[in-house]
Amino acid sequence: MIPRWMTFTAVALVTLSLVPLALVARARQQKSEQPRIHLVPDMDNQSKYKTQKASPLFADGRTMRMPVANTVARGELHADDHMYQGKNADGSWATTFPEPMTSAMIRRGQDRYNVYCFPCHGLSGFGNGPVAQRADQLAEGTWVPPSSMHDPVVLGRPVGHIFNTISHGIRNMPSYGGQIPVEDRWDIVAYVKALQKTQNPVVTIAPIPMPTSAPAAAPRKP
């Protein structure tokens, strides 16, 4: 038979073993202005100034500092004006693509065009997308029809100008630079140029040489 004192001791030890778990559960359910107890701090609690807090370290008393003038974030230099601005070194609009145009570019451009451009400009590029058609039906008088990709003015624009239009918008068209990566913008330009060629083919007729003298008469049959 187990002595009574051993039974009481076992019960007491089991009860005491539950106390830490109870304290942990209580700490997780309550809020406190005091930092938690960390057996291994790991720099969780350290002296620092938080956002919008005052700091005596600087003359203006502000913790938040302005970025150093003319600094550029890593990977955001974008020094290639042709690639990122659609311009040549002299500031004129680029007439060529930063990279050779490929069928893969055109296919990717078509995919992105159907996502971002089709709603207003339509699949054919004539400015008859579903958004434009709906606006015409409402006839509220505030809608500015989107430009047709086949308008002579748009046809004459260099590829750099079209890239800039996608990047920064033009007139009532908003900027899509925040939604469309740079490479995809150039792919869309490639598709637009291909789309323009389908509706505005250039027919070249070989010149017919003019005779310099009258053809000789055929001999008569006897």
Side-chain angles (χ1 to χ4, degrees):
M1 182 176 179
I2 300 176
R4 181 175 297 181
W5 69 270
M6 294 185 62
T7 303
F8 289 154
T9 302
V11 172
L13 291 176
V14 171
T15 304
L16 290 174
S17 67
L18 298 176
V19 171
L21 298 177
L23 293 176
V24 171
R26 178 176 178 275
R28 292 179 62 85
Q29 298 298 323
Q30 292 184 343
K31 295 183 179 180
S32 174
E33 295 182 357
Q34 301 298 321
R36 303 293 185 188
I37 298 176
H38 287 69
L39 298 179
V40 182
D42 290 333
M43 300 181 68
D44 290 342
N45 298 304
Q46 56 181 309
S47 299
K48 60 181 179 293
Y49 291 105
K50 295 186 177 181
T51 307
Q52 305 296 345
K53 295 294 184 179
S55 170
L57 183 62
F58 300 101
D60 57 8
R62 297 185 303 175
T63 295
M64 300 176 65
R65 313 309 302 165
M66 294 295 295
V68 178
N70 301 321
T71 56
V72 179
R74 184 185 297 273
E76 297 295 329
L77 182 58
H78 297 172
D80 187 348
D81 289 341
H82 191 177
M83 182 69 175
Y84 295 99
Q85 301 296 331
K87 294 183 178 181
N88 297 315
D90 59 0
S92 61
W93 295 120
T95 57
T96 59
F97 289 85
E99 299 177 356
M101 185 190 301
T102 63
S103 58
M105 286 177 58
I106 297 176
R107 288 193 297 269
R108 174 66 179 176
Q110 181 182 19
D111 178 79
R112 297 296 87 189
Y113 177 95
N114 292 341
V115 173
Y116 295 102
C117 312
F118 154 70
C120 289
H121 292 282
L123 290 176
S124 59
F126 283 100
N128 55 353
V131 172
Q133 295 182 28
R134 177 59 176 168
D136 291 338
Q137 293 174 0
L138 295 176
E140 295 179 343
T142 58
W143 173 252
V144 178
S147 299
S148 170
M149 302 293 182
H150 311 287
D151 184 271
V153 175
V154 180
L155 284 172
R157 287 174 179 165
V159 293
H161 189 293
I162 300 176
F163 174 85
N164 180 78
T165 299
I166 300 173
S167 302
H168 304 289
I170 186 171
R171 293 186 293 276
N172 284 34
M173 174 181 164
S175 165
Y176 284 89
Q179 296 96 317
I180 309 176
V182 173
E183 291 78 8
D184 284 350
R185 281 177 249 165
W186 280 113
D187 293 346
I188 293 176
V189 175
Y191 177 70
V192 167
K193 283 301 181 182
L195 188 64
Q196 290 174 338
K197 289 183 180 297
T198 63
Q199 301 296 326
N200 303 275
V202 177
V203 180
T204 302
I205 301 177
I208 301 176
M210 298 298 294
T212 57
S213 60
R220 292 183 179 181
K221 294 181 179 182

